[in-house]
Amino acid sequence: MPNENVDPIASRDEAQEAIIGQTLTQPETVIVVSASPVNLIVLSRIVERARLKAVSCEPGLAGPHIARIDPLMVILDGGSDMRECDAALAPIAAQKRLSDGTRPHVVLLTVQNMPPDTVDLGGLIDSLVAKPVTPERLQPLIETVRDRRS
């Protein structure tokens, strides 16, 4: 199927630029954001156990991934101060505005059990999961969101 946004006479570089600039809705993708390489691996494996594709990135690099991929879910590791993933909040807010608040589902990993109303991040957080994160805690949430959206 030809891409309608690409000029048929455009050079290869121009065509590639047009394709790269597009947002790709990928309902099977979960973006995992953490400053900890170990947490990126653990969280990605839990996502893969739920039969979804995991894209791991550091907080500073999350924005372009969120804007380009339009994921089903974003899992944010809040870190010890609950502020490690602040750089990813603006792109998440933009995606939520574009999708009328339905995508992406945002999960924040917290350092302790907290009621959802104690975390004020502009209404962007849909679910909280307390650390330590285990497959038994996180995987059912991922599967519920996946099944609800498919």
Side-chain angles (χ1 to χ4, degrees):
M1 179 170 157
N3 190 322
E4 298 160 3
N5 296 326
V6 177
D7 180 355
I9 307 174
S11 71
R12 179 182 173 105
D13 290 337
E14 291 171 330
Q16 188 173 10
E17 289 276 327
I19 292 170
I20 290 173
Q22 294 180 10
T23 299
L24 306 171
T25 301
Q26 296 184 3
E28 72 284 352
T29 302
V30 175
I31 296 180
V32 178
V33 183
S34 178
S36 165
V38 172
N39 286 351
L40 286 175
I41 293 169
V42 170
L43 295 169
S44 294
R45 295 298 176 260
I46 294 171
V47 168
E48 290 167 356
R49 284 180 59 171
R51 299 183 320 266
L52 293 169
K53 179 182 174 188
V55 175
S56 301
C57 59
E58 295 176 358
L61 304 174
H65 287 299
I66 293 166
R68 184 177 53 83
I69 294 174
D70 186 18
L72 169 70
M73 179 183 290
V74 177
I75 300 174
L76 301 173
D77 180 359
S80 60
D81 63 355
M82 299 300 295
R83 308 305 295 174
E84 280 186 13
C85 292
D86 284 357
L89 296 178
I92 290 170
Q95 284 298 77
K96 283 203 173 249
R97 276 192 304 275
L98 290 173
S99 69
D100 295 328
T102 60
R103 289 176 61 101
H105 185 93
V106 181
V107 177
L108 178 65
L109 306 180
T110 63
V111 290
Q112 59 197 17
N113 277 328
M114 309 172 91
D117 57 347
T118 61
V119 178
D120 182 26
L121 295 176
L124 296 178
I125 306 303
D126 299 303
S127 303
L128 296 176
V129 176
K131 292 181 184 178
V133 178
T134 63
E136 292 77 20
R137 284 185 183 175
L138 185 58
Q139 189 172 345
L141 173 63
I142 295 170
E143 290 171 347
T144 300
V145 172
R146 179 199 65 207
D147 295 344
R148 189 176 347 133
R149 302 283 169 94
S150 59

